[in-house]
Amino acid sequence: MLLQADNITFGYSSKTVLHDVSFSIRRGEIVSLLGPNGCGKTTLLKILLGLYHSKNGGRVRFEGRELSSIHQKTLARSVAYVPQFHKASFAYRVLDVVLMGRMPHKSFFSRYNRHDEELARSALAKLSILHLEERPYTEISGGERQLTLIARAMAQGAHTFIFDEPANGLDYGNQIRLLEELINLSREGYTFIKSTHFPDHALWVADRVIMMKQGTIIANGSSEETITSENLYSLYGREVDIHALKESFRVCVPRKLGQVGLTTAGKLKQSYH
């Protein structure tokens, strides 16, 4: 097992935001954390990164070792964090941003060498954005920035990526492009743990979905088993139908909006006759 979380409990001041959370993740999985705002997703991700620590005896193990026993620099060689939004203050080249992923492998005063640059360019090429290497990071699109951060994580040597709402703020085309890259990389053995507000995205790419509500896990299983009308209503208080468009491809349609859409489509059809 790549990662194991046992009895994770955490709170801020007197407010408990995670209650006895347990799950495990296998290498090469795409796992989506799905739940409403304030349910504890981001806090859980920070615990998996070793930034916060569980209370009341809860623990996280990574590759069989207690996470708390792994030095942060050592952990950074295997686990990378990709934020949902990153705004650069300086116009670094895209290549320079990716090279920053090599920092866990360098001493404080050492400089990047040819091997580091080869790894950085290889990561950019794998994501089909090598042509951006000389572009200022501040001048590329949101989707290209997200792919640049993934390339930085790959150059870091990480095989496990933790995302906090990676598609947030991206246009539709870049959302699809990002999801395609996650699928491609997972086939090569990379592992992705991501929070999301899009049940459709979890349906399309996740091997497994962990549903959270009020700091607890209410469902944990394959996307087909977990993303159901009943579970979505429990999470969001809205009636949602799951429609199969093709074999193994499904979409979520809010019931009331779906009814409005059918009515509108009918009116438009009649107007053409």
Side-chain angles (χ1 to χ4, degrees), residues 91-151:
Y92 295 109
R93 295 181 306 166
V94 165
L95 180 62
D96 293 328
V97 173
V98 178
L99 279 169
M100 292 176 189
R102 301 299 301 158
M103 292 178 67
H105 302 270
K106 317 295 286 186
S107 61
F108 187 76
F109 292 106
S110 61
R111 305 181 68 175
Y112 301 124
N113 55 34
R114 180 175 296 179
H115 177 63
D116 296 322
E117 292 190 1
E118 288 175 352
L119 289 173
R121 289 193 171 94
S122 175
L124 287 169
K126 187 179 289 288
L127 296 173
S128 302
I129 54 171
L130 181 58
H131 62 284
L132 299 176
E133 65 172 317
E134 296 296 330
R135 291 276 303 279
Y137 180 75
T138 52
E139 295 180 11
I140 60 178
S141 72
E144 290 168 338
R145 288 188 187 188
Q146 195 72 314
L147 291 174
T148 298
L149 295 180
I150 295 175

Side-chain angles (χ1 to χ4, degrees), residues 232-269:
L232 291 177
Y233 185 82
S234 177
L235 280 186
Y236 303 112
R238 292 292 182 270
E239 294 181 326
V240 178
D241 292 320
I242 313 297
H243 293 282
L245 299 184
K246 296 181 179 180
E247 185 178 353
S248 73
F249 190 86
R250 302 185 301 158
V251 296
C252 300
V253 180
R255 189 165 298 171
K256 289 186 178 180
L257 290 180
Q259 292 170 351
V260 171
L262 289 172
T263 302
T264 302
K267 290 179 178 178
L268 287 173
K269 187 175 181 180

Side-chain angles (χ1 to χ4, degrees), residues 192-239:
F192 295 93
I193 307 163
K194 64 182 183 68
S195 63
T196 182
H197 283 303
F198 299 99
D200 282 308
H201 291 182
L203 272 174
W204 299 343
V205 305
D207 299 299
R208 194 148 50 85
V209 175
I210 298 174
M211 285 189 167
M212 297 183 63
K213 183 179 181 180
Q214 296 178 347
T216 63
I217 293 177
I218 67 167
N220 179 2
S222 70
S223 59
E224 289 190 0
E225 296 170 340
T226 307
I227 300 180
T228 64
S229 298
E230 294 76 16
N231 283 343
L232 291 177
Y233 185 82
S234 177
L235 280 186
Y236 303 112
R238 292 292 182 270
E239 294 181 326

